[in-house]
Amino acid sequence: LYQQNTLRDALVAGINLNIFNQHCDRVRMANIAQMVNVLQSVILTEGAKMIKTPTYYVFKMYAVHQDAQLLETDVENALYSNGNEAIPQLSVSSSMDAEGRIHVTICNLDPNNGADINLQLEGVKVSKVTGSIITADKMNAKNDFDNPDVVTDKAFEDVAIDDNANAVRTVIPAKSVVLLEIA
């Protein structure tokens, strides 16, 4: 069941992990059944060679939600339409870790358009925001043995804190998974 893993698979992984996190009161544990060289693998091997897939980087990114407290999110969301079908453009989940840092994971499912984000944080004064992003030029971009770093996590720095320090503004690029860490 070997299958190449693409940016599309990273978005699917992010959506599912957001759903699991949003329902953590009922979903106590979830596992990826395929780890190496099969459907939705995190690692692909060929002889002595090994590459990390886009799904690997999503799992790495979402590790911040483990053992954290789910935070309620209220998302005003546009729709992404393709033909007669439409889905929410964004999938979002957030949590707070033991040190008080807020982690917000956002998947922009629209392959063509960015999404303006204005995160209003009740009762929080923001002093610092850092982020990481997984994206590529094409939805079917992949890591292969000749080009192992086409789809990886990179720093995401295009984030602004509003003057009152209770909101964060950014644009989530098309076809991307973003993690914002708010302190």
Side-chain angles (χ1 to χ4, degrees), residues 92-112:
V92 180
S93 184
S94 61
S95 64
M96 181 182 295
D97 67 18
E99 287 79 37
R101 294 175 300 221
I102 296 171
H103 297 100
V104 182
T105 46
I106 307 166
C107 299
N108 183 355
L109 307 178
D110 190 323
N112 304 308

Side-chain angles (χ1 to χ4, degrees), residues 110-149:
D110 190 323
N112 304 308
N113 299 298
D116 292 327
I117 302 293
N118 185 4
L119 295 172
Q120 298 291 322
L121 302 157
E122 294 180 23
V124 174
K125 288 292 183 190
V126 180
S127 61
K128 181 180 176 185
V129 179
T130 58
S132 59
I133 185 170
I134 300 167
T135 192
D137 293 338
K138 297 181 181 179
M139 188 68 90
N140 63 353
K142 64 186 182 296
N143 298 337
D144 59 31
F145 296 102
D146 294 327
N147 299 293
D149 298 317

Side-chain angles (χ1 to χ4, degrees), residues 144-166:
D144 59 31
F145 296 102
D146 294 327
N147 299 293
D149 298 317
V150 174
V151 184
T152 64
D153 57 341
K154 297 181 171 95
F156 182 72
E157 299 171 345
D158 190 21
V159 181
I161 301 170
D162 79 349
D163 293 337
N164 296 326
N166 64 349

